[in-house]
Amino acid sequence: MSFIDLKGMLQPLGAVKQLFKKPHTIQYPYETNKASDNYRGLHFNDLDQCIGCGNCSTICQNDAIDMISLDNIDGKKGDSGLRPRIDNGRCCWCALCVDVCPTGSLNLTKDYIFVTDNPNDFLLTPGLDNPDAKDRLSYTCDMNTSLSLYDRVPMRELDGKERVKSFAEVVLGYSEEEARAEADRCISCGLCTEACPENMHIPEYINAIARGNDDDALRIIYDNNPLPEMCGKVCTRVCEDVCALQVRGEAVAIRWLKRYATETAPTVEMIKEIVDPKIEEPNGFSVGIVGAGPAGLTAAYYLALKGYDVTIYEAQAHAGGMIMYGIPKYRFPLESIDKQIQYMESIGVKIKYNTKVGKDITFDEIYTNNDAVFVGIGLQNPWNIGIKNEDSPGVISAIEYLKIINSDETYDVGKKVAVIGGGNVAIDGARVSARFGADVTILYRRRVEDMPADWEEIEGAEHEGINIVPQAIPTRIIKDEKTGKVIGIEYLKAKMVAEDGGRPRPVAIEGSETIYECDTVIGAIGQQADFDWLPENYKEDLIIERGKIQVNDLRQTGVTKIFAGGDSVKYGNSDAISAIADGFNAVKGIDKLLLK
Amino acid sequence: MVREKETTLYIGPQHPGITGNMMVKLKVQGDTVVSAATHVGYLHRAFEKLIERRNWIQAFTLLCRFCVPEPDPMELTYARAVEELDNREVPERAKYIRVIVMELARMQSFMLWYAGQSGSAGLYLTPQWSVGDRNYILDLFEDLTGGRIYHMYIWPGGVRRDLPEGWTDKTLRTMDYIEKRLDEYNKILFDNTIFQKRAQGVGIVPKDKAIEWGVVGPVLRGTGIKSDVRIDEPYEVYDKIDFDVPTQEGGDIWARALVRKEEVRQSIRIIRQAIADMPGGAYYNKVSNPMKWTVPAGQAWAKTESVRGEIGFHVTSDGGNKPYRVHVKGAAYTHGVTVLEKILPGQNIADVSFILNSLGVCPPEIER
């Protein structure tokens, strides 16, 4: 038996004094534990802020999050209408869902304890099942801690002072490195695809760019858009308006990424080599197309791929419609249009230029000689401004003005120009005038933030020294008594009045007449279609309401054989991507009609 | 002497005195172990395989589950391997935060070891104290990371959140408290004759075999060999911090306990220095969208010093958005299988759990 150390035996007994100290433990229910401000407890989702992008569900490594539809939430553009439901039996509270939530709607709360006798209660629809948890938020995620990348890679542009000197392209495009970095930001939620009139495969081609597969990206793009170069430069990009990242930060530059993808194939041969279009054997059917705008070209391209014999009849000397004649060349250069048209022709699309239907060829002839007809005539005739002296020399519509300039002809706008309108056409007219050295002012009825023009266009105009006068209602054009030429425009200042909570409306302030002296007035308040070429008997059957041809979802008109698309039909917005969607859908309609 | 009959006994698989399920099959004669065989397979969850199906960020949430008592070194080791593959810079501040987290993890893990070691010797007061005190460290973790046990805090590129306001002060206060408590622990455990008698000369890992068997960490240092990844191949900012690596001669449970006892004091020293020296600035190098993040193809091996010794991650990338293979080598594999089977013969049955605890075995780490 070894010696037993008495001190070593007795010393531990000193622990008895601990009895008189406050214990570690919490004396529940007299005391409760307070969760830290960072605690990862049950979820809470702000249902109004959430856009249903599903990023939380994608990142969840336990498949604990399902996206479900709720009774009181409907999907709309930029909101899938779905909301996350958490299976708390699977959740491990890693909170990655919170860190990747682009809107910041999903958070964790301080809820320590959850007791239930119903196993179904483990399925929690945060926000719906626990609305009161909003007051107990703990683990949240702001833009600094978020894993989302909110800042867009800036696009390089010509300097404002430099670019008004010529029609050189303003936007310089992304470098490969910039494109990869920008593509990397996309979270692939697909809200953009839903919003795009043409439902382009946006997350897919952005993914391809992010991975460095530019060829794949181009192939994916050409799958349902034969004019990507045009879309990559001038698309109205509703996709970016609904991007999940724009809720808190800047949308992914979807348009510029598409532009980047098309720039990787600078020649027609390269496009053909990469896209490698599969042209089916001729199927014996022929289709006649009126108008070589985006709608007609799209229909022609996909019809040609499917083996149809396609001929486009175009009144002008160049194909492209409004993208050729309506869009200034600093936004969309001639070479780009030519490249796209040449590619179309190389796969078998026939275009008859300078052939105006109703003059050089009758519509009856096209109708009889083809198995189907597609009408994509666009909106050619400008609306009148509707004020006094509008017919004076020096007053021109933006559409006519742009057409003259884009046809390489000249029009002298003088030293000072007033542009009326707030859409993209108005901005185009203003920026083109600035390139001829004019001092340009835009008069718009509403506020700058109400302008329908693309924000980048507005910004571009401002950088080029164009003055925008908002809340200005033109009342009359002032002409020189002797020469009859325009010398100014009078307008009333307006205040914005919201009636019944509706969109604020400009109301003229009496006595606020202001005169702006100018040499030219450019009107850009909208266009309408010209149906004069169409024989009367067709007009009735086509059903034209409010200047637009009525069509079904396959873009079929009241006449079985006639399909229509583009700005002159009722579908979608008046923009190129909607026209492309019309053309694409009409191909399905024609297929259904002829191939059954 | 009458030769007693050989009997087979099973220790485990329900928590045989350690964290996690594992079984030791013993052949005993009387009270003496004749041979021992470790049986695992009771909590295999295929972590390594699961990681291959998750992208680089998702994978990090699984890592803590390799070892419940000390999840943080797993996160750090994985992060360092991925950073090496991806050439990711880690902000200086993040490195300091990581060191603090690692040492807090070491301390809370020590508290748990302390509970297990004394509990398996039949001393039940110490577990009550140490688990209570451990909660003060877990409080710090909760404030910092939002989680008490599984922190999921250290990820490739830095750490997940910056230090909350007032956190460093609270940490320093907790350190002062724990330091005082360590003296009291000495009185009830290290000065306790019962513990001394139980621990001295039991479960000896021979110094000349230690390296050969692959022994690491406090068990190796308990044989008198000075080996610590923090000193031998410093990572993060351990090379800028002044601390000692304690060693003891003997290789028995007592030597290992003394090493651990001193290590906690060193951890407190490290934390105080790290808090004093910590620079400002970024805590996370955010460069890529986690959904798309791909890591260049290649292989990386990173190792860190956990409380149980060196752990290493061998991460292989094929250039994709998921790890191609992640192989984990922790201390438990050698300690729980090789070493245990070699040192148990000749020991008393009552000492089996006691020895298991002193080796720092974490079964989930054996069955990745």
Side-chain angles (χ1 to χ4, degrees):
Chain A
M1 180 82 190
S2 59
F3 169 74
I4 292 189
D5 171 12
L6 198 61
K7 187 180 163 228
M9 291 295 282
L10 296 176
Q11 188 157 290
L13 299 175
V16 168
K17 68 175 191 243
Q18 300 287 337
L19 279 174
F20 307 102
K21 290 192 176 172
K22 187 181 181 303
H24 296 295
T25 44
I26 287 164
Q27 313 292 302
Y28 191 80
Y30 308 108
E31 291 173 303
T32 49
N33 199 358
K34 193 173 158 287
S36 79
D37 291 339
N38 215 6
Y39 188 70
R40 299 198 302 253
L42 298 178
H43 292 72
F44 173 79
N45 186 23
D46 187 331
L47 294 175
D48 297 329
Q49 206 180 344
C50 179
I51 54 171
C53 69
N55 215 21
C56 46
S57 173
T58 313
I59 196 81
C60 182
Q61 55 109 10
N62 293 323
D63 290 341
I65 304 182
D66 288 323
M67 298 302 290
I68 58 163
S69 56
L70 302 180
D71 288 344
N72 52 348
I73 292 172
D74 298 322
K76 53 178 189 280
K77 282 198 172 168
D79 182 352
S80 70
L82 303 175
R83 294 293 180 263
R85 183 185 63 190
I86 319 285
D87 182 348
N88 280 324
R90 302 182 71 112
C91 177
C92 74
W93 287 276
C94 67
L96 274 180
C97 50
V98 177
D99 282 354
V100 300
C101 177
T103 64
S105 70
L106 192 62
N107 299 294
L108 298 184
T109 64
K110 291 186 179 176
D111 293 348
Y112 255 110
I113 300 166
F114 177 70
V115 182
T116 177
D117 54 3
N118 180 3
N120 291 331
D121 289 348
F122 273 80
L123 294 176
L124 174 88
T125 307
L128 185 76
D129 296 342
N130 58 351
D132 56 319
K134 190 173 191 170
D135 307 326
R136 302 190 294 274
L137 296 189
S138 51
Y139 193 92
T140 57
C141 184
D142 61 24
M143 281 172 72
N144 290 324
T145 50
S146 171
L147 281 175
S148 300
L149 303 166
Y150 288 109
D151 298 328
R152 180 185 277 212
V153 176
M155 174 53 84
R156 286 171 292 118
E157 290 182 344
L158 282 182
D159 181 65
K161 288 188 186 111
E162 199 55 45
R163 62 201 191 203
V164 288
K165 291 178 187 162
S166 73
F167 276 80
E169 211 178 342
V170 170
V171 174
L172 299 174
Y174 278 143
S175 68
E176 182 178 338
E177 198 184 332
E178 288 168 331
R180 302 266 181 270
E182 182 61 20
D184 185 59
R185 297 172 60 220
C186 171
I187 60 168
S188 307
C189 62
L191 288 174
C192 44
T193 301
E194 284 301 309
C196 175
E198 174 61 352
N199 303 128
M200 288 196 68
H201 318 302
I202 297 166
E204 287 80 3
Y205 71 71
I206 290 184
N207 262 336
I209 295 172
R211 286 197 308 269
N213 301 338
D214 296 334
D215 291 359
D216 275 357
L218 203 64
R219 273 191 286 273
I220 294 168
I221 290 171
Y222 269 95
D223 182 56
N224 62 351
N225 186 339
L227 299 165
E229 196 145 328
M230 184 269 292
C231 285
K233 290 181 176 176
V234 300
C235 184
T236 47
R237 64 206 169 113
V238 281
C239 49
E240 291 181 25
D241 295 341
V242 301
C243 178
L245 292 178
Q246 62 81 37
V247 177
R248 285 209 284 188
E250 294 173 312
V252 176
I254 300 172
R255 179 171 62 172
W256 299 146
L257 287 173
K258 183 153 58 237
R259 176 194 170 113
Y260 166 79
T262 61
E263 279 170 351
T264 60
T267 63
V268 174
E269 291 71 34
M270 281 182 78
I271 301 177
K272 235 180 147 173
E273 194 188 315
I274 295 169
V275 177
D276 190 20
K278 299 277 174 294
I279 306 165
E280 288 172 26
E281 289 295 305
N283 59 16
F285 293 109
S286 70
V287 180
I289 293 177
V290 184
L297 288 170
T298 305
Y301 177 81
Y302 292 107
L303 287 169
L305 286 186
K306 284 171 178 280
Y308 288 90
D309 178 19
V310 188
T311 310
I312 305 181
Y313 302 91
E314 169 59 48
Q316 306 295 336
H318 243 100
M322 275 299 166
I323 57 171
M324 166 64 205
Y325 292 101
I327 291 176
K329 297 300 168 233
Y330 62 85
R331 284 176 68 195
F332 190 40
L334 189 62
E335 311 84 74
S336 296
I337 306 175
D338 283 347
K339 191 173 97 186
Q340 302 254 272
I341 305 300
Q342 279 167 24
Y343 171 60
M344 296 250 173
E345 289 178 324
S346 76
I347 64 137
V349 174
K350 285 171 286 194
I351 307 177
K352 287 190 190 297
Y353 296 105
N354 298 314
T355 309
K356 186 163 171 57
V357 180
K359 191 174 133 208
D360 303 310
I361 184 170
T362 64
F363 185 71
D364 268 329
E365 199 180 330
I366 299 175
Y367 185 83
T368 330
N369 292 345
N370 289 290
D371 300 292
V373 180
F374 180 82
V375 177
I377 52 165
L379 306 175
Q380 302 288 343
N381 296 346
W383 290 105
N384 291 333
I385 310 169
I387 54 175
K388 201 178 153 193
N389 295 336
E390 205 180 328
D391 50 353
S392 317
V395 180
I396 188 168
S397 76
I399 284 295
E400 282 174 85
Y401 176 56
L402 290 169
K403 188 172 167 188
I404 291 169
I405 302 302
N406 282 333
S407 307
D408 261 351
E409 291 162 25
T410 52
Y411 183 89
D412 184 13
V413 286
K415 288 207 173 71
K416 287 185 90 177
V417 174
V419 178
I420 299 167
N424 281 325
V425 179
I427 305 272
D428 286 343
R431 291 179 74 179
V432 167
S433 305
R435 277 164 176 70
F436 290 106
D439 177 6
V440 187
T441 294
I442 296 176
L443 303 177
Y444 179 55
R445 296 164 63 84
R446 299 169 189 269
R447 297 163 301 183
V448 174
E449 59 263 39
D450 299 322
M451 286 175 94
D454 194 313
W455 60 268
E456 272 179 330
E457 287 297 306
I458 299 171
E459 243 179 50
E462 283 169 347
H463 289 167
E464 288 164 17
I466 289 161
N467 181 30
I468 298 176
V469 179
Q471 287 160 259
I473 303 174
T475 44
R476 68 185 172 101
I477 287 163
I478 305 161
K479 62 178 182 180
D480 190 295
E481 293 301 328
K482 289 179 200 158
T483 59
K485 234 186 118 1
V486 170
I487 54 167
I489 181 164
E490 183 191 84
Y491 62 90
L492 282 170
K493 288 180 182 163
K495 58 182 175 197
M496 301 305 289
V497 180
E499 281 168 9
D500 306 329
R503 187 185 174 205
R505 208 168 51 81
V507 176
I509 303 167
E510 270 184 55
S512 66
E513 285 87 352
T514 315
I515 291 172
Y516 176 72
E517 286 177 15
C518 61
D519 306 307
T520 303
V521 172
I522 298 178
I525 57 164
Q527 301 95 250
Q528 57 187 323
D530 172 13
F531 292 111
D532 289 350
W533 53 277
L534 198 63
E536 283 304 319
N537 53 330
Y538 290 107
K539 269 187 196 169
E540 280 168 27
D541 294 342
L542 275 181
I543 314 173
I544 298 167
E545 278 175 17
R546 291 187 181 176
K548 300 230 171 180
I549 305 171
Q550 304 298 300
V551 290
N552 65 13
D553 57 350
L554 289 174
R555 310 311 190 260
Q556 194 172 28
T557 64
V559 184
T560 319
K561 251 176 83 173
I562 302 180
F563 292 77
D567 290 353
S568 57
V569 306
K570 67 147 201 190
Y571 253 90
N573 303 323
S574 292
D575 54 19
I577 189 68
S578 301
I580 291 172
D582 288 345
F584 189 75
N585 282 299
V587 174
K588 291 182 195 161
I590 292 170
D591 251 2
K592 197 176 165 194
L593 174 75
L594 298 178
L595 301 179
K596 295 290 183 250
Chain B
M1 192 177 152
V2 182
R3 187 183 161 80
E4 287 182 60
K5 199 182 151 200
E6 202 174 272
T7 316
T8 304
L9 278 182
Y10 298 90
I11 305 264
Q14 276 80 14
H15 290 241
I18 50 164
T19 317
N21 300 357
M22 183 178 109
M23 184 180 77
V24 189
K25 185 179 175 186
L26 299 174
K27 287 220 165 69
V28 291
Q29 275 182 351
D31 278 356
T32 310
V33 176
V34 176
S35 71
T38 303
H39 288 255
V40 289
Y42 297 98
L43 40 63
H44 181 61
R45 281 169 283 178
F47 290 130
E48 286 182 355
K49 196 71 197 165
L50 288 172
I51 287 176
E52 290 167 23
R53 289 165 49 187
R54 281 151 174 77
N55 70 32
W56 293 97
I57 280 285
Q58 285 176 324
F60 114 104
T61 60
L62 273 177
L63 304 166
C64 47
R65 289 159 174 83
F66 278 112
C67 184
V68 186
E70 55 161 354
D72 306 270
M74 303 291 172
E75 294 174 13
L76 178 65
T77 320
Y78 171 78
R80 287 184 51 231
V82 176
E83 281 153 9
E84 189 184 321
L85 282 173
D86 199 38
N87 285 326
R88 262 196 187 208
E89 283 295 317
V90 178
E92 197 68 5
R93 183 177 176 80
K95 291 181 180 174
Y96 276 90
I97 297 176
R98 284 174 171 193
V99 164
I100 295 173
V101 169
M102 292 309 289
E103 295 310 314
L104 284 176
R106 203 179 305 280
M107 288 173 72
Q108 66 89 6
S109 184
F110 165 81
M111 300 288 184
L112 212 57
W113 161 81
Y114 191 76
Q117 190 73 81
S118 52
S120 56
L123 301 167
Y124 289 116
L125 175 62
T126 36
Q128 308 292 340
W129 283 15
S130 70
V131 171
D133 288 336
R134 174 173 177 259
N135 269 294
Y136 292 114
I137 299 174
L138 299 188
D139 283 349
L140 293 176
F141 274 121
E142 186 186 323
D143 288 347
L144 179 65
T145 70
R148 293 182 72 81
I149 307 291
Y150 290 152
H151 308 133
M152 299 177 252
Y153 181 67
I154 298 171
W155 62 15
V159 294
R160 227 168 147 181
R161 292 284 193 273
D162 205 354
L163 302 181
E165 221 180 299
W167 188 82
T168 47
D169 293 340
K170 188 174 176 183
T171 306
L172 290 172
R173 282 200 303 277
T174 310
M175 291 305 109
D176 294 344
Y177 167 78
I178 302 254
E179 201 172 30
K180 256 187 272 167
R181 289 288 282 166
L182 289 176
D183 295 337
E184 291 174 12
Y185 288 3
N186 285 348
K187 286 180 192 159
I188 60 163
L189 190 71
F190 293 102
D191 296 345
N192 188 335
T193 311
I194 297 172
F195 183 69
Q196 289 172 1
K197 296 281 173 207
R198 286 290 304 269
Q200 283 165 356
V202 177
I204 295 174
V205 175
K207 185 172 184 172
D208 55 333
K209 295 281 184 196
I211 299 280
E212 186 190 319
W213 290 351
V215 173
V216 289
V219 182
L220 183 60
R221 293 193 284 276
T223 65
I225 297 171
K226 192 169 177 173
S227 159
D228 189 318
V229 185
R230 293 176 294 174
I231 293 283
D232 302 340
E233 293 172 45
Y235 49 92
E236 306 306 334
V237 287
Y238 277 113
D239 51 346
K240 295 180 188 168
I241 289 173
D242 187 26
F243 66 99
D244 299 326
V245 175
T247 55
Q248 288 288 330
E249 295 294 333
D252 54 2
I253 296 179
W254 178 243
R256 300 200 270 277
L258 292 181
V259 167
R260 289 192 171 108
K261 176 186 133 194
E262 183 51 30
E263 268 177 14
V264 183
R265 292 196 184 270
Q266 296 301 325
S267 290
I268 296 176
R269 211 174 137 195
I270 293 170
I271 290 171
R272 285 180 178 150
Q273 287 179 58
I275 288 178
D277 298 346
M278 190 183 314
Y283 57 91
Y284 175 45
N285 178 9
K286 180 162 90 169
V287 288
S288 190
N289 175 357
M291 309 300 231
K292 286 202 168 61
W293 181 28
T294 57
V295 169
Q299 299 184 39
W301 166 256
K303 58 181 183 178
T304 54
E305 184 75 18
S306 76
V307 75
R308 291 162 298 118
E310 175 190 318
I311 51 166
F313 271 58
H314 181 197
V315 179
T316 310
S317 169
D318 60 357
N321 66 342
K322 297 182 177 89
Y324 176 77
R325 175 87 171 88
V326 173
H327 178 79
V328 183
K329 166 68 180 70
Y333 193 83
T334 40
H335 290 185
V337 184
T338 318
V339 178
L340 188 69
E341 289 180 358
K342 285 190 178 1
I343 67 172
L344 277 187
Q347 303 288 346
N348 193 298
I349 302 177
D351 287 335
V352 172
S353 299
F354 200 46
I355 292 170
L356 253 171
N357 254 299
S358 76
L359 291 174
V361 178
C362 200
E365 198 182 79
I366 304 175
E367 308 170 40
R368 291 96 50 194

